[in-house]
């Protein structure tokens, strides 16, 4: 397959449009796709659609395919495993792959203390289980979460997620004992506010309104994903972790989007030397197969009674084989290093772009997790229409980018970590063209 962007029809092409009509009669309208381009195959950072268009993938299926599409070692591991057995249920008759993935998670997550892991199907399920373990192990109930947080779409994780539309609207009632406090959001916080000050702002509310003695867990994304790629000011995460240690609450890092080399290290917490009590992982962990993990201090996970955690498919053998091949590929190709280099290239380009375009209010991110926040020029007023126009223009040219943010005004880039320099440069050229072409406001 040629690793080059190449369009042979308009986007979406006639076959994609035909599939879309079929889909509208079969698939719940609430499940959306943007762009509605139907994929036939992929390789590395290239996606080929059903009309034969080759697209540059700067989204990785929302930070999942870090190792790239159709990565040969992963494909082989999955084929081999599915040919031996596809499922037994680890709670019925166990198998080595589950154990080996837990060993990897225990070794790779921050901190050299004794750890245990459990495996699940989705990120949301891992977060739910983090809360279960935190409540069980501490004997407390309150869970502290942040503005702009995203933790999933199940009932408990909807309560943990901040944004109403589209995630929560009319889906209540929500789970209780969830308390939301302000995030460190340098663009929108008072000028010069440090990470420690932002943490104090949040923790004062926790102390006065929740009571430290009631807090089971402080749950935070080290860099927020769906909420807008919000990178907290330095010092924010360490201050939260310190407060947790001082108050016998658990510091839980949701590394589902940031983990597995995405931000230039195995985990984003490492950037400030923060060692969480519990870590949730998914997405990049298994390179595209559904798998999620909960990892943490041995005494916390081992506190829960036998049979208290589990599920039919959690840690499915095919997903575990995929994870082991994915982790091995990340090590072999030094994809953390690759992500750091991608970050230098992308942030450099985006900063130059921001100098020329007053609608770009902020450029931020780390490693291969970078974003532009669009505002009305000269203000902090969010410009979701600007972000949507830029994303649409990229899609029309065959470059898959995503939007995010509480205000829907952030364009985010999550390229596969194996993307070639030329493809990345081409994708960024298209993005720059889309920014230039966006209607002036
Ligand atoms: N925690 C930090 O980013 C998933 C969701 C897309 P699941 N993010 C993409 C959408 O609109 O549903 C995510 C995340 C963080 C938890 C989750 C949830 O992971 O595997 O989607 O359940």
């Amino acid at each position: 397959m040629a690793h080059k962007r190449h369009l042979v029809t308009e986007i979406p092409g006639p076959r994609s449009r035909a599939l879309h009509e079929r889909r509208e009669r079969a698939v719940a309208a609430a499940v959306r796709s943007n762009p509605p381009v139907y994929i036939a195959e992929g390789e590395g950072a290239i996606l080929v659609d059903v009309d034969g268009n080759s697209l540059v993938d700067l989204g990785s299926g929302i930070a999942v395919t870090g190792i790239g599409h159709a990565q040969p070692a992963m494909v082989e591991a999955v084929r081999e495993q599915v040919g031996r057995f596809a499922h037994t249920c680890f709670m019925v008759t166990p198998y080595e792959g589950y154990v080996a993935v837990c060993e990897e998670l225990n070794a790779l997550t921050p901190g050299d203390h004794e750890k245990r892991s459990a495996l699940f199907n989705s990120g949301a399920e891992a977060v739910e289980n983090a809360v279960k373990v935190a409540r069980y192990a501490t004997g407390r109930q309150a869970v502290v979460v942040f503005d702009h947080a995203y933790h999933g779409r199940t009932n408990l994780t909807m309560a943990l997620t901040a944004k109403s539309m589209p995630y929560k609207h009319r889906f209540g009632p929500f789970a209780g004992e969830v308390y939301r406090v302000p995030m460190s959001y340098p663009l929108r916080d008072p000028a010069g506010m440090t990470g420690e000050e932002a943490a104090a702002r949040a923790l004062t509310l926790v102390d006065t309104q929740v009571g430290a003695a009631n807090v089971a867990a402080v749950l935070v994304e080290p860099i927020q994903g769906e909420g807008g790629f919000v990178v907290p000011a330095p010092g924010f995460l360490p201050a939260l972790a310190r407060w947790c240690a001082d108050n016998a609450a658990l510091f839980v890092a949701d590394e589902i989007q940031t983990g597995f080399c995405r931000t230039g290290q195995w985990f984003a917490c490492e950037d400030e030397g923060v060692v969480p009590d519990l870590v949730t992982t998914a997405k990049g962990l298994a390179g595209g197969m559904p798998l999620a993990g909960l990892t943490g201090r041995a005494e916390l996970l081992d506190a829960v009674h036998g049979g208290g955690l589990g599920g039919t498919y959690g840690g499915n053998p095919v997903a575990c084989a995929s994870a082991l091949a994915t982790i091995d590929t990340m090590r072999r190709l030094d994809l953390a290093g690759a992500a750091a280099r991608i970050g230098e290239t992308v942030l450099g380009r985006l900063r130059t772009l921001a100098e020329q375009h007053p609608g770009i209010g902020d450029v931020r991110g780390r490693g291969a997790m970078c974003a532009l926040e669009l505002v009305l020029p000269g203000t902090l007023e969010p410009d979701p229409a600007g972000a949507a126009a830029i994303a649409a223009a990229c899609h029309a040219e065959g470059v898959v980018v995503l939007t995010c943010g509480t205000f829907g005004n952030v364009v985010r880039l999550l390229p596969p970590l194996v993307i070639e320099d030329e493809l990345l440069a081409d994708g960024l050229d298209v993005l720059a063209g889309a920014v230039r072409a966006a209607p002036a406001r």
Side-chain angles (χ1 to χ4, degrees), residues 61-64 121-127 149-154 157 161 166-167 220-227 254-258 280 282-283 291-292 369 412:
I62 324 191
V64 172
N121 303 296
S122 67
E125 204 188 344
V127 174
Y150 184 91
H151 298 292
R153 294 175 180 266
T154 58
T157 59
T161 289
Y167 307 122
V220 67
E221 300 154 86
I223 296 175
Q224 290 184 320
E226 306 307 304
D254 181 344
E255 291 256 17
I256 286 166
Q257 192 151 161
T258 49
T280 56
K283 292 191 185 278
L291 186 69
M369 182 170 184
R412 58 172 157 169

Side-chain angles (χ1 to χ4, degrees), residues 272-326:
E272 291 188 271
V274 170
V275 177
D277 298 297
L278 296 172
V279 184
T280 56
T281 53
K283 292 191 185 278
L285 160 64
M289 296 297 286
L291 186 69
L294 170 62
T295 303
R297 289 200 277 122
E299 66 272 24
L300 302 175
L301 276 112
D302 282 346
V304 179
H305 57 272
L309 306 176
T312 305
Y313 291 112
N316 167 272
V318 183
C320 285
S322 183
L324 294 172
T326 296

Side-chain angles (χ1 to χ4, degrees), residues 53-404:
N53 298 299
S54 294
L55 317 173
V56 177
D57 183 7
L58 299 185
S60 300
I62 324 191
V64 172
T65 54
I67 57 169
H69 300 286
Q71 201 284 324
M74 186 269 221
V75 172
E76 190 42 45
V78 166
R79 278 209 177 106
E80 198 274 332
Q81 177 58 50
V82 84
R84 282 196 294 135
F85 62 97
H87 175 81
T88 64
C89 184
F90 192 71
M91 302 186 307
V92 179
T93 45
Y95 40 87
E96 182 179 350
Y98 190 115
V99 179
V101 171
C102 290
E103 287 169 347
E104 289 283 21
L105 285 168
N106 297 348
L108 292 171
T109 49
D112 49 17
H113 51 284
E114 184 77 10
K115 293 176 209 152
R116 300 285 184 272
S117 291
L119 303 180
F120 305 99
N121 303 296
S122 67
E125 204 188 344
V127 174
E128 291 242 359
N129 280 279
V131 172
K132 283 162 70 171
V133 169
R135 285 180 171 157
Y136 199 112
T138 60
R140 303 170 176 184
Q141 293 185 348
V143 180
V144 174
V145 290
F146 292 86
D147 287 338
H148 316 288
Y150 184 91
H151 298 292
R153 294 175 180 266
T154 58
N155 186 263
L156 174 55
T157 59
M158 273 194 292
L160 303 170
T161 289
K163 189 173 173 176
S164 172
M165 197 57 137
Y167 307 122
K168 303 166 73 164
H169 177 68
R170 295 180 69 158
F171 295 144
F174 303 112
E177 287 302 312
V178 173
Y179 299 91
R180 191 170 309 284
V181 292
M183 179 66 182
S184 166
Y185 192 157
L187 177 71
R188 295 179 181 280
D189 284 342
M193 180 179 249
T194 65
E196 287 80 5
E197 288 162 354
R201 173 179 63 182
L203 294 168
T204 302
L205 291 173
V206 177
D207 279 321
T208 54
Q209 299 185 11
V210 188
N214 300 311
V215 176
V218 174
L219 168 64
V220 67
E221 300 154 86
I223 296 175
Q224 290 184 320
E226 306 307 304
F229 279 30
V230 178
V231 184
F236 180 73
L237 296 173
L240 296 182
R242 251 190 329 271
W243 183 92
C244 287
D246 291 347
N247 291 285
L250 303 185
F251 180 80
V252 185
D254 181 344
E255 291 256 17
I256 286 166
Q257 192 151 161
T258 49
F260 283 95
C261 300
R262 178 57 51 190
T263 67
Q265 321 221 33
W266 282 100
F267 295 96
C269 274
E270 290 170 49
D271 205 56
E272 291 188 271
V274 170
V275 177
D277 298 297
L278 296 172
V279 184
T280 56
T281 53
K283 292 191 185 278
L285 160 64
M289 296 297 286
L291 186 69
L294 170 62
T295 303
R297 289 200 277 122
E299 66 272 24
L300 302 175
L301 276 112
D302 282 346
V304 179
H305 57 272
L309 306 176
T312 305
Y313 291 112
N316 167 272
V318 183
C320 285
S322 183
L324 294 172
T326 296
I327 292 167
D328 188 56
T329 301
M330 289 179 167
R331 260 198 209 104
R332 198 163 35 83
L333 303 182
D334 182 23
L335 292 188
R341 285 191 297 280
I342 290 171
E344 281 169 31
T345 305
V346 174
L347 288 173
R349 279 295 296 272
L350 297 185
R351 286 191 184 118
T352 308
L353 206 54
E355 281 162 20
Q356 300 153 0
H357 297 279
I360 300 178
D362 198 17
V363 169
R364 58 177 178 256
R366 190 185 302 151
M369 182 170 184
C370 302
L372 293 175
E373 176 158 355
L374 283 304
V375 295
L376 300 182
T379 74
L380 285 179
E381 191 75 34
D383 181 15
I390 291 167
C394 288
H395 297 162
E397 293 296 319
V399 176
V400 179
V401 299
L402 309 172
T403 57
C404 65

